[in-house]
Amino acid sequence: DRAVGREASLRERRAGELREILGSLGPAVIKAGQALASRPDLLPAEYLRELQKLQDRVPQFDTGDALRRVEASLRLDRFEDAFELLEAEPIAAASIGQVYKARLIKEDVVVALKVQRPRCAEIIALDLYILRWWAQLGTSTLSAVFDRNLDLVSVIDDFGRLIYQEIDYAAERKNAKRFGDLYGKNLIKVPRVYGAYSSSTVLCMEWVTGTRLVDGEELVRPGRLVDALVQCSLRQMLESGYFHADPHAGNLLATADGQLCYLDFGMMSYLDRRQRVSIIEAVVHLVNRDFEALAALYERMGFIPAGTDVEPIVRGLQEALPDVLDAPVSELNVKNVINKLGDVFYTFPFALPPFYIAIIRCLGVLEGVAIQVDPGFRIVSDAYPYIAARLLTDEAPELRAALKNLLFQRDRPQWTRFEALIGRASSSDGYDAAAAADVLVTFLGSDDAEAVRDHLVDDLADALDYLG
């Protein structure tokens, strides 16, 4: 298509054909396609949209096989020695396994019994081997065709690590415990895991009765639940760094007592402190429309090679984002921002690291769920008070520099921005005004703030003259 000048005009059609091909193949290939849907640095927008439609099309496996798998994995003589099956058919099925509703006899509790598909690990291993073989062949070919420095093998390796984590139910059991220890309080519920009745291929968890978040008409105070989901996710990513990377509607329930329950812990991710700070910096630069600082941050984080001429990237950001970023913060939406940034990521030599891909996926899924509950919801509007509070109270040098750039232009205080930032931050739970004042006073007393102090004195004198 490119050779005859038809690539752009046929892009949507080819993207649809790729989705059909991947959808007809094995579970690892389908999941690889779903993972590629979050890679704006590798594929143009038309392909991303089509790959987002990929669904698992794997038939259910026999319940008898599932029960025998439970017996073998848990070393039971008979399934009935430990469980009573409450429904003959699985209540959920996916490419990796099936979930049954059962009663744990010894504890006399209803449980969700997750059973891995027979030969799942073997099938995925073969799929990954084939994908990696094609990736080695395709890297050189596609790099030449698209004139890009692509490393498809590293993409498959990153994906392989993720999918092997997802099919290890022993790891999921540990994930659920850690997630519960960190976040299982107030509005957030994490089901109990019965470790004695779990293994690497069987997971026994507390059965939770509730309503899916997307069934908005049946929810009590849906807005409160959505806000709890977003705020919990922000704290996962930006405070502890350990976060649920796949918070889609099927993994979330609203309980009768008003709690938000997470159900699946196979896909988790972690941000170290430097990465957490960089995310806050990026949001500040986007809101502040400081594209030079944003490009410099991308280079510092290794998204683009060191020494890259960032001027074309800055111009690309300015051209791609004006309509989105000229809107007030309350009107921004993640999908628009990611789509606009995706055009830049694809055009220039970006290589997005796994942690950033996990964040893109997480934020996109979060906003998708939230909009189904509340069509007017915008995650940036809901998140910005928390970002503002962190910016005003965090002592990280990078965030102090970002705060200075936001509130002072050529060392002159921007009072309107300062007032707006304080207003946003004060609406965030846990905002500490005293800590914010301490950060600002410390900054104003530093050697770096001499020019700022001079301007501040002038502004105060003007204000006193005005009052007089």
Side-chain angles (χ1 to χ4, degrees):
D1 289 343
R2 176 162 291 203
V4 296
R6 301 169 61 199
E7 192 272 329
S9 62
L10 291 177
R11 196 176 285 169
E12 278 199 33
R13 176 177 159 188
R14 299 300 187 220
E17 291 170 356
L18 177 62
R19 175 177 57 79
E20 290 296 328
I21 291 169
L22 296 182
S24 66
L25 298 173
V29 180
I30 293 172
K31 285 193 170 290
Q34 292 168 337
L36 277 175
S38 300
R39 296 302 302 261
D41 56 325
L42 296 179
L43 293 172
E46 293 86 348
Y47 283 84
L48 301 182
R49 284 195 295 271
E50 282 297 320
L51 292 178
Q52 285 165 5
K53 301 174 186 175
L54 268 176
Q55 300 291 330
D56 295 343
R57 296 180 183 175
V58 183
Q60 292 183 10
F61 61 93
D62 183 68
T63 295
D65 290 341
L67 302 190
R68 285 189 291 275
R69 192 161 176 75
V70 173
E71 291 169 350
S73 185
L74 301 183
R75 297 180 180 178
L76 300 172
D77 291 331
R78 297 185 316 136
F79 178 84
E80 292 77 10
D81 292 342
F83 300 99
E84 176 191 354
L85 199 61
L86 298 180
E87 294 187 22
E89 295 299 316
I91 56 139
S95 57
I96 289 174
Q98 295 177 175
V99 181
Y100 291 87
K101 186 176 183 180
R103 186 171 67 88
L104 186 56
I105 294 172
K106 185 176 180 180
E107 303 279 350
D108 193 26
V109 291
V110 178
V111 294
L113 197 60
K114 189 173 177 180
V115 186
Q116 194 175 102
R117 185 175 291 274
R119 298 183 59 247
C120 180
E122 296 173 41
I123 294 167
I124 285 174
L126 180 59
D127 283 349
L128 286 173
Y129 182 86
I130 294 168
L131 283 171
R132 204 173 188 280
W133 187 89
W134 278 107
Q136 289 173 315
L137 182 66
T139 291
S140 55
T141 305
L142 293 177
S143 295
V145 170
F146 292 104
D147 193 25
R148 294 175 61 83
N149 184 24
L150 297 175
D151 184 0
L152 298 180
V153 176
S154 69
V155 173
I156 298 301
D157 287 346
D158 290 337
F159 166 69
R161 278 188 284 272
L162 283 175
I163 197 168
Y164 271 112
Q165 289 171 16
E166 192 175 355
I167 67 173
D168 184 355
Y169 291 175
E172 183 172 351
R173 183 172 74 246
K174 294 176 184 176
N175 291 343
K177 184 180 185 309
R178 184 179 178 187
F179 192 87
D181 291 343
L182 287 170
Y183 313 115
K185 54 189 175 181
N186 300 330
L187 285 176
I188 305 302
K189 178 176 176 58
V190 177
R192 176 185 172 186
V193 177
Y194 295 91
Y197 299 93
S198 300
S199 69
S200 61
T201 56
V202 174
L203 187 63
C204 182
M205 300 181 76
E206 169 191 1
W207 180 271
V208 178
T209 301
T211 305
R212 294 196 315 153
L213 282 192
V214 291
D215 297 333
E217 295 180 1
E218 300 178 28
L219 295 177
V220 178
R221 299 178 68 185
R224 179 168 168 263
L225 288 169
V226 168
D227 186 62
L229 171 63
V230 173
Q231 294 301 321
C232 180
S233 296
L234 287 172
R235 282 168 172 75
Q236 289 170 41
M237 285 188 279
L238 301 178
E239 286 183 14
S240 71
Y242 185 69
F243 68 99
H244 197 296
D246 193 24
H248 65 73
N251 287 340
L252 299 163
L253 282 180
T255 65
D257 59 358
Q259 286 188 300
L260 180 69
C261 181
Y262 285 78
L263 296 178
D264 189 298
F265 302 92
M267 194 178 291
M268 311 297 290
S269 194
Y270 178 75
L271 302 175
D272 62 32
R273 183 186 171 282
R274 184 176 68 102
Q275 292 164 344
R276 298 197 294 270
V277 168
S278 74
I279 296 303
I280 299 175
E281 279 189 89
V283 172
V284 172
H285 296 328
L286 280 169
V287 172
N288 199 27
R289 296 137 171 93
D290 189 348
F291 299 119
E292 289 82 3
L294 186 60
L297 175 64
Y298 286 150
E299 183 175 3
R300 194 172 82 232
M301 293 302 295
F303 291 15
I304 51 179
T308 299
D309 179 10
V310 298
E311 282 301 315
I313 295 175
V314 170
R315 287 196 299 272
L317 290 167
Q318 289 170 337
E319 292 170 6
L321 292 167
D323 292 339
V324 174
L325 295 182
D326 279 340
V329 172
S330 61
E331 293 180 14
L332 299 182
N333 91 46
V334 166
K335 185 177 179 181
N336 285 346
V337 173
I338 289 175
N339 285 346
K340 298 279 188 180
L341 284 173
D343 293 338
V344 177
F345 293 158
Y346 181 70
T347 303
F348 296 100
F350 278 79
L352 301 183
F355 85 88
Y356 197 74
I357 302 305
I359 289 171
I360 287 176
R361 175 177 171 78
C362 181
L363 292 179
V365 171
L366 269 178
E367 187 167 75
V369 170
I371 286 174
Q372 289 183 71
V373 178
D374 176 6
F377 182 85
R378 291 294 177 268
I379 196 170
V380 177
S381 178
D382 205 58
Y384 197 61
Y386 173 82
I387 298 291
R390 281 292 301 274
L391 197 59
L392 285 167
T393 57
D394 200 300
E395 297 186 3
E398 302 91 339
L399 294 188
R400 287 196 173 188
L403 179 63
K404 179 183 176 182
N405 290 337
L406 182 64
L407 297 184
F408 303 96
Q409 283 192 348
R410 297 186 180 87
D411 294 323
R412 180 170 291 281
Q414 302 298 301
W415 295 111
T416 303
R417 284 186 180 178
F418 183 69
E419 182 182 2
L421 195 67
I422 291 288
R424 288 277 184 176
S426 61
S427 65
S428 174
D429 292 339
Y431 169 62
D432 187 342
D438 185 56
V439 167
L440 290 170
V441 169
T442 301
F443 166 70
L444 289 172
S446 68
D447 294 339
D448 293 337
E450 184 176 354
V452 172
R453 289 195 296 272
D454 291 340
H455 286 302
L456 188 60
V457 170
D458 290 342
D459 286 350
L460 288 172
D462 289 344
L464 289 171
D465 286 344
Y466 177 78
L467 285 173

